[in-house]
Amino acid sequence: MTTLPDSSAPIRVRIAPSPTGDPHVGTAYIGLLNFIYAKQRGGKFVLRIEDTDRTRFVSSSEQMIFDALRWCGLQWDEGPDVGGPYGPYRQSERTDIYREHVAMLLASGHAYRSFETTEELDEMRKSQLAAKLPPRYNGAHRELTSAQIAAFETEGRPAVVRLKVPVDGETVFRDELRGDVTFSHNNVDDQVLLKSDGFPTYHLANVVDDHLMRITDVIRAEEWISSTPKHVLLYKAFGWDVPRFWHMPLLRNLDKSKISKRKNPVSLVYYRDSGYLPQALINFLGLMGGGMAQPTEQEIVSHGLNVKQGDVFSLADMQAKFDFKRISLGGPVFDLTKLKWLNGEYLRALSGDGFFDALRSTLFSDDYLRRIAPLVQTRINTLAEFGDMTDFFFKDDVVPAVEVFLPKKHMVEETVAFAAEQLTLLEATNFTVEELEAALKQLGVAKDWTVKDNFMLLRAIVTGKTASPPLLESLIVFGKARTLDRVRRFIDTQKRLAVQKK
RNA sequence: GUCCCCAUCGUUCAAUGGUUAGGACACCGCCCUUUCACGGCGGUAAUACGGGUUCGAAUCCCGUUGGGGACACCA
């Protein structure tokens, strides 16, 4: 059985986002849960940045994560920017620690070095899949002799370090919401712990840090259940206590699959820039998975809301009443419809001044208007035309008519497919004029679309019109998150229409 | 394919062996109203299926089906 942390130990929880792009709504969800858990128990809420994947690293991402979490009201007690007794809180600054711990595992025989190349491993996986076998490391280098190791080394082969999972037996761990979960060891792979670039994988870094940072409760998404036995094995290999695990249900798309940017806006920046109030988002997230009892009319009215019944509560309410043992395990669909209703309720609850301030601090802030103004100054003859020219910046959505978006030389289906290409490209592009222009033009050449048709399509999708302020500059001011959403929605809408026709 | 998790209205949560299976969102109708909203009132709508256990099952057990997740030198 697993050892639970000393019950007298002060509660410490953490979230551990990776700076690989825009802050994710799932991070806010898990962050909220961790935050509530800590606050309810007088514990500490730690923010750790898991930046061990240098190939997916995005330098602007960390600051966006900080901003987004603060916008949500989820302030951490310890973290990279605020410090704390168990730092550093950025994994890239802890590589020595991981190397030391890997050395310990190597010395105790709980890990071994493995010299296969990526290509060899891919090959192995492919043939296993082809043979309808579960893809798993075959353990070829588990018991290399020192002579073999020396041979690989002189060959200059890069090595990884793998966890030596026992061949027999099973690992049982307790999930606080589900009870005991058992994995037979022959279903647990020899996980890579240290990559050939010297950086640890999530599994190693996570376990080492959680222990060193005295984390008592690991509250994370359900997708981690199947790797938890590896983590438990690691704790045991080090001789450490295992924390409590709480695996939270995964947020879902409408089709029940794991929430994804292809099917939902997942960037917190999108919600902020589209005029959602953080209290509405937090309330909505608190609804996902249960945990909160239905508020009474009294409680709702106390928030100034003009409804008698409804799933309305604040962060403070959650701190007071959220019950982790009530959480239901079905994956909740992240349905924007109800979030919009909630947002409306919070908007209506604002005082006149408060509402005005909300407008002035977001969509109609000096900063935003100051960036939009130069885009239209030469294009209008009366100030009122500013509205005609820039309406798309202030709309929730825009639906271009076929006459507007369809280029003469292309068919609808083909155009939608091209828009999908644009979407993929925009996701991967930094929003600067140079990068956008280069990327878009390159795509146009590759797909045999003229620059004019190419840009005009994107213009139609984002602005709903054939005439607009300069496209690229407009996109930059409008923002990546909202731009991606418009393109995605355009594609969805057109696909739906196509299906209806058939 | 293998392993793991899950299963109440379209969606999200209630009902923790005994209720006409409840609320919210959405939808529909009526009222309010110069319009549109807001608000008020009402309505449609669910225990996936099959076996047990029990006086009694949405609730406990088994199976089936369905959904999801994981199976990377990503997290």
Side-chain angles (χ1 to χ4, degrees):
Chain A
M1 259 322 289
T2 55
T3 324
L4 290 175
D6 180 354
S7 58
S8 67
I11 295 295
R12 294 175 56 81
V13 297
R14 83 323 191 250
I15 49 168
S18 277
T20 55
D22 275 19
H24 199 277
V25 69
T27 303
Y29 178 54
I30 298 296
L32 168 66
L33 264 8
N34 276 279
F35 178 87
I36 297 290
Y37 191 89
K39 295 297 162 197
Q40 284 182 336
R41 286 153 246 262
K44 296 289 187 201
F45 172 49
V46 177
L47 173 62
R48 182 172 71 224
I49 296 292
E50 309 223 326
D51 54 349
T52 56
D53 183 353
R54 81 268 174 249
T55 60
R56 292 201 309 155
F57 179 76
V58 175
S59 60
S60 61
S61 184
E62 183 183 285
Q63 188 59 48
M64 290 202 295
I65 291 169
F66 294 165
D67 293 344
L69 290 173
R70 288 205 172 94
W71 176 71
C72 289
L74 305 176
Q75 180 59 53
W76 46 101
D77 301 301
E78 298 170 25
D81 57 335
V82 298
Y86 301 101
Y89 294 91
R90 220 177 257 115
Q91 289 186 330
S92 58
E93 295 167 12
R94 302 171 63 81
T95 50
D96 289 347
I97 297 172
Y98 308 128
R99 265 189 278 264
E100 280 170 32
H101 284 83
V102 166
M104 286 162 58
L105 292 175
L106 248 13
S108 64
H110 288 104
Y112 62 95
R113 289 200 291 164
S114 160
F115 295 85
E116 287 90 353
T117 63
T118 311
E119 294 72 39
E120 287 169 346
L121 292 172
D122 285 346
E123 196 61 32
M124 191 178 76
R125 243 187 310 276
K126 254 183 238 162
S127 59
Q128 286 167 332
L129 247 15
K132 299 213 186 266
L133 289 165
R136 212 124 42 205
Y137 178 62
N138 62 13
H141 291 189
R142 265 175 83 107
E143 309 288 349
L144 291 180
T145 63
S146 45
Q148 287 171 307
I149 291 174
F152 280 131
E153 280 174 345
T154 51
E155 204 181 311
R157 277 221 195 197
V160 300
V161 176
R162 287 181 184 273
L163 177 65
K164 197 170 198 172
V165 176
V167 273
D168 299 318
E170 56 188 29
T171 287
V172 182
F173 66 90
R174 180 174 159 74
D175 178 284
E176 298 298 321
L177 298 175
R178 280 161 263 255
D180 286 351
V181 181
T182 305
F183 283 84
S184 165
H185 286 160
N186 47 37
N187 290 318
V188 181
D189 208 0
D190 279 5
Q191 182 62 49
V192 170
L193 302 175
L194 194 71
K195 301 181 244 183
S196 56
D197 66 0
F199 277 84
T201 58
Y202 167 88
H203 307 279
L204 193 261
N206 196 265
V207 165
V208 169
D209 287 347
D210 281 349
H211 176 257
L212 261 23
M213 294 181 183
R214 309 274 195 277
I215 300 301
T216 54
D217 294 80
V218 171
I219 305 170
R220 65 192 351 176
E222 192 179 1
E223 57 188 330
W224 294 109
I225 287 182
S226 48
S227 42
T228 303
K230 295 169 185 173
H231 304 164
V232 171
L233 251 13
L234 276 171
Y235 282 103
K236 287 183 175 168
F238 285 118
W240 296 337
D241 286 350
V242 177
R244 278 180 292 266
F245 292 108
W246 305 74
H247 290 99
M248 297 313 197
L250 230 30
L251 262 22
R252 310 293 182 94
N253 298 313
L254 247 22
D255 64 4
K256 302 275 190 185
S257 56
K258 176 167 89 162
I259 194 167
S260 66
K261 65 181 177 186
R262 299 261 52 148
K263 297 174 182 175
N264 250 308
V266 293
S267 167
L268 293 171
V269 176
Y270 166 81
Y271 291 96
R272 199 213 331 123
D273 291 354
S274 299
Y276 287 87
L277 263 21
Q279 56 269 46
L281 215 217
I282 285 296
N283 188 159
F284 181 64
L285 255 14
L287 242 27
M288 304 279 89
M292 277 297 276
Q294 216 104 116
T296 64
E297 179 176 340
Q298 282 251 302
E299 289 170 330
I300 295 171
V301 168
S302 75
H303 294 107
L305 291 163
N306 193 19
V307 284
K308 295 195 179 105
Q309 289 171 306
D311 299 306
V312 179
F313 44 79
S314 66
L315 230 201
D317 294 338
M318 281 187 255
Q319 284 181 43
K321 292 177 61 183
F322 193 96
D323 181 358
F324 281 80
K325 290 290 183 186
R326 280 179 64 111
I327 286 174
S328 56
L329 268 10
V333 171
F334 190 86
D335 185 357
L336 278 318
T337 311
K338 188 151 186 181
L339 172 57
K340 276 202 181 184
W341 169 77
L342 268 174
N343 203 58
E345 288 300 326
Y346 283 99
L347 244 22
R348 277 169 227 121
L350 259 19
S351 67
D353 282 346
F355 179 67
F356 179 77
D357 290 344
L359 245 17
R360 289 285 284 145
S361 63
T362 57
L363 247 25
F364 297 92
S365 67
D366 286 350
D367 178 59
Y368 198 45
L369 294 176
R370 210 185 296 283
R371 295 174 69 202
I372 293 170
L375 302 176
V376 299
Q377 193 176 0
T378 61
R379 291 178 168 77
I380 60 177
N381 297 309
T382 67
L383 293 175
E385 284 175 14
F386 179 83
D388 298 295
M389 190 104 267
T390 62
D391 61 344
F392 68 93
F393 280 106
F394 308 102
K395 290 184 162 186
D396 186 55
D397 194 17
V398 129
V399 183
V402 182
E403 313 84 78
V404 172
F405 76 77
L406 191 65
K408 285 196 181 68
K409 278 180 272 178
H410 298 281
M411 305 296 285
V412 173
E413 199 176 334
E414 184 196 346
T415 301
V416 173
F418 187 75
E421 301 271 359
Q422 288 180 326
L423 177 60
T424 306
L425 171 143
L426 290 168
E427 279 167 357
T429 307
N430 289 314
F431 271 40
T432 65
V433 173
E434 299 72 31
E435 290 195 38
L436 282 172
E437 184 165 11
L440 246 13
K441 282 184 175 167
Q442 197 184 348
L443 174 67
V445 170
K447 297 287 164 183
D448 206 20
W449 270 58
T450 64
V451 174
K452 184 182 174 183
D453 286 349
N454 184 355
F455 279 49
M456 195 52 89
L457 173 60
L458 192 52
R459 182 190 315 281
I461 291 171
V462 176
T463 72
K465 299 176 181 179
T466 51
S468 79
L471 180 63
L472 270 21
E473 289 80 353
S474 296
L475 295 186
I476 292 165
V477 174
F478 189 54
K480 184 170 180 172
R482 294 188 74 195
T483 299
L484 295 180
D485 179 64
R486 287 228 169 136
V487 180
R488 188 179 56 73
R489 281 209 242 189
F490 168 79
I491 295 166
D492 288 350
T493 304
Q494 293 304 322
K495 281 187 177 166
R496 209 173 52 240
L497 289 174
V499 170
Q500 276 173 13
K501 274 183 192 168
K502 283 177 188 171

